[in-house]
């Protein structure tokens, strides 16, 4: 059996008639940017997430940059975030001229260790960016409490949590701004790059709408130093189709994850907080002999990936920041051991049986 890490081809097969119709509709209309598909997608996304405003942009990375700009974060400011994440969060902080201040993770959730945040707050701290990594929601109630106490803003990196909830409220809607990525492999994925922000704040929403569109309030009148970062009509049309399926797909992912947890209970996996539902973007387990395990699984046709192998503070591009190995030991330990198993709504029972069978025989 051959089980790739992701099977977007199967998702396309399931939705082909709707997707093809959506793309054809845009091509027929010959209107490609800032049109009715984007407008409708923004309305539908805002409604789905339970936020007042949704603003589509070109990528999750751009969404993070704009979120920081909209909150006035720049040179001299500090932003608290975990080092165990996809690098985009930190790229955005550095891009606006601010300084990332890392906090180690809680090894059970793989998320920022809330008990270690306050020690990192200084006069320069402006924002906390928790990352809801792997689909689970971070301890957002505690983070909001700390932010409130110290008068800080919160940007939620919900790039991996489309539809995850805490106490029935969607990840991304607790902080001042939430950001999503629609990179093709995400639970809600476009057919190219795309991203979005959500907020309940009208002033912030209006600023974001300008920032993504050359900073203009109307054509050729530029209020802000903005950029060209629109979510184009074809992507918006594709995302509108997929958003309708998202809950069903997430439900399927939950069933698969529940089965992994039951059958592979002896392997360490992410703790999901009480009152919270994960969208299970990834199913991550740990092995002390990871390279060997990945090789053995690959020899059985099972593809696994690592999210992420190098903590951000140890990436080559940030050598100049003066971090060293040992600075965030729990982050580094996770990065050395984690492996993501195939998990997607199109994974068949037979395929999951096969993965479980081999993992059990290799680990028991
Ligand atoms: C995917 C991702 C991003 C970046 O999104 P892009 O759309 O690829 O720019 C940011 N943060 C996290 C946690 C992600 O997983």
């Amino acid at each position: 059996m051959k089980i790739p890490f992701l099977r977007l081809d199967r998702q396309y097969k399931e939705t082909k008639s709707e997707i093809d119709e959506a793309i054809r509709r845009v091509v027929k209309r010959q209107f490609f940017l800032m049109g009715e598909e984007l407008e409708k997608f923004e309305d539908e996304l805002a409604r789905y997430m339970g936020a007042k405003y949704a603003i589509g942009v070109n990528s999750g990375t751009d969404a993070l940059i704009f979120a920081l700009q909209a909150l006035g974060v720049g040179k001299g400011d500090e932003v608290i975030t975990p080092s165990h994440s996809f690098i985009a969060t930190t790229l955005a902080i550095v891009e606006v001229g601010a300084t990332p201040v890392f906090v180690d993770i809680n090894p059970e959730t793989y998320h920022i260790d809330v008990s270690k945040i306050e020690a990192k707050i200084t006069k320069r701290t402006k924002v906390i960016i928790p990352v809801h990594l792997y689909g689970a929601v971070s301890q957002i109630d505690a983070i909001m409490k700390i932010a409130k106490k110290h008068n800080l803003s919160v940007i939620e990196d919900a790039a991996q949590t489309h539809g995850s909830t805490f106490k029935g409220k969607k990840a991304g809607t607790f902080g001042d701004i939430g950001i999503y990525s629609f990179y093709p492999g995400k639970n809600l994925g476009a057919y190219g790059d795309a991203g979005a922000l959500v907020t309940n704040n009208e002033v912030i929403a209006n600023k974001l709408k300008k920032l993504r569109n050359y900073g203009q309030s109307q054509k050729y009148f530029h209020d802000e130093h903005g950029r060209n970062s629109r979510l184009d009509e074809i992507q918006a049309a594709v995302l509108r189709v997929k958003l309708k399926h998202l809950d069903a797909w997430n439900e399927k992912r939950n069933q698969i994850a529940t089965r992994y947890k039951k059958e592979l209970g002896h392997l360490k996996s992410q703790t999901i907080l009480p009152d919270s539902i994960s969208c299970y973007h990834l199913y991550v387990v740990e092995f002390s002999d990871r390279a060997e395990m990945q090789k053995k699984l690959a020899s059985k046709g099972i593809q696994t990936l690592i999210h992420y192998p190098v903590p951000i503070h140890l990436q080559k591009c940030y050598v100049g920041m003066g971090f060293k190995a040992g600075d965030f030991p729990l982050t580094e330990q996770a990065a050395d051991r984690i492996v993501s198993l195939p998990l997607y709504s199109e994974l068949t029972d037979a395929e999951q049986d096969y993965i479980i069978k081999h993992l059990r025989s290799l680990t028991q």
Side-chain angles (χ1 to χ4, degrees), residues 87-361:
I87 196 160
T89 329
T90 299
L91 289 181
I93 296 166
V94 175
E95 183 68 27
V96 301
T99 304
V101 175
F102 296 120
V103 173
D104 211 349
I105 52 165
N106 172 327
E108 305 306 318
T109 60
Y110 299 100
H111 291 168
I112 192 164
D113 185 338
V114 170
S115 71
K116 293 178 181 161
I117 291 178
E118 279 193 296
K120 296 291 181 86
I121 295 174
T122 71
K123 285 199 305 289
R124 294 168 178 264
T125 310
K126 280 278 170 63
V127 182
I128 305 172
I129 309 186
V131 181
H132 302 304
L133 206 66
Y134 305 152
V137 186
S138 299
Q139 250 180 297
I140 192 67
D141 50 349
I143 292 167
M144 293 309 297
K145 211 176 275 174
I146 294 169
K148 202 162 180 187
K149 182 175 157 195
H150 297 273
N151 201 21
L152 307 174
S153 301
V154 172
I155 298 169
E156 294 175 75
D157 185 334
Q160 299 189 1
T161 38
H162 312 84
S164 303
T165 59
F166 174 67
K167 292 189 173 161
K169 203 166 132 91
K170 294 270 174 19
T173 62
F174 293 85
D176 299 83
I177 302 174
I179 76 95
Y180 305 97
S181 162
F182 307 121
Y183 173 81
K186 300 279 160 82
N187 288 34
L188 180 60
Y191 277 20
D193 273 320
L197 307 97
V198 292
T199 182
N200 290 322
N201 182 316
E202 190 184 359
V203 176
I204 289 175
N206 287 336
K207 191 156 177 183
L208 291 170
K209 282 179 193 165
K210 290 181 204 167
L211 285 173
R212 66 150 177 215
N213 195 25
Y214 316 116
Q216 63 189 16
S217 49
Q218 47 173 311
K219 212 168 171 72
Y220 310 132
F221 291 83
H222 306 272
D223 300 357
E224 307 274 349
H225 177 77
R227 288 226 320 277
N228 173 359
S229 178
R230 281 93 50 120
L231 198 171
D232 71 69
E233 290 288 286
I234 289 180
Q235 300 308 335
V238 167
L239 288 166
R240 288 183 65 203
V241 169
K242 289 202 180 189
L243 182 58
K244 285 190 239 151
H245 295 274
L246 180 61
D247 281 342
W249 288 337
N250 283 348
E251 174 58 34
K252 192 77 211 300
R253 282 175 181 264
N254 262 272
Q255 289 167 11
I256 295 167
T258 303
R259 180 129 187 269
Y260 272 143
K261 210 157 259 182
K262 181 160 162 262
E263 304 286 347
L264 304 171
H266 59 296
L267 300 179
K268 182 176 181 292
S269 65
Q270 185 178 34
T271 296
I272 312 296
L273 296 177
D275 296 325
S276 182
I277 298 173
S278 174
C279 70
Y280 280 103
H281 176 56
L282 296 169
Y283 195 89
V284 174
V285 292
E286 286 194 18
F287 299 116
S288 49
D289 53 346
R290 176 177 63 195
E292 198 57 33
M293 284 298 297
Q294 277 197 296
K295 214 156 66 190
K296 285 179 181 158
L297 288 168
S299 76
K300 301 292 177 200
I302 301 166
Q303 189 193 9
T304 56
L305 295 178
I306 302 167
H307 301 92
Y308 298 89
V310 182
I312 299 171
H313 68 280
L314 298 178
Q315 292 285 353
K316 198 168 164 187
C317 58
Y318 295 133
V319 164
M321 289 191 188
F323 294 108
K324 57 184 188 316
D327 283 349
F328 303 98
L330 298 168
T331 292
E332 291 163 32
Q333 179 177 301
D336 283 342
R337 295 166 162 240
I338 47 174
V339 172
S340 306
L341 305 181
L343 190 166
Y344 32 95
S345 48
E346 303 79 14
L347 191 74
T348 65
D349 289 345
E351 286 168 336
Q352 196 179 13
D353 288 344
Y354 180 87
I355 296 167
I356 289 168
K357 182 183 82 182
H358 284 292
L359 264 170
R360 286 177 79 137
S361 79

Side-chain angles (χ1 to χ4, degrees), residues 3 17 61 70 147 254 351:
I3 307 177
S17 60
T61 306
N254 262 272
E351 286 168 336

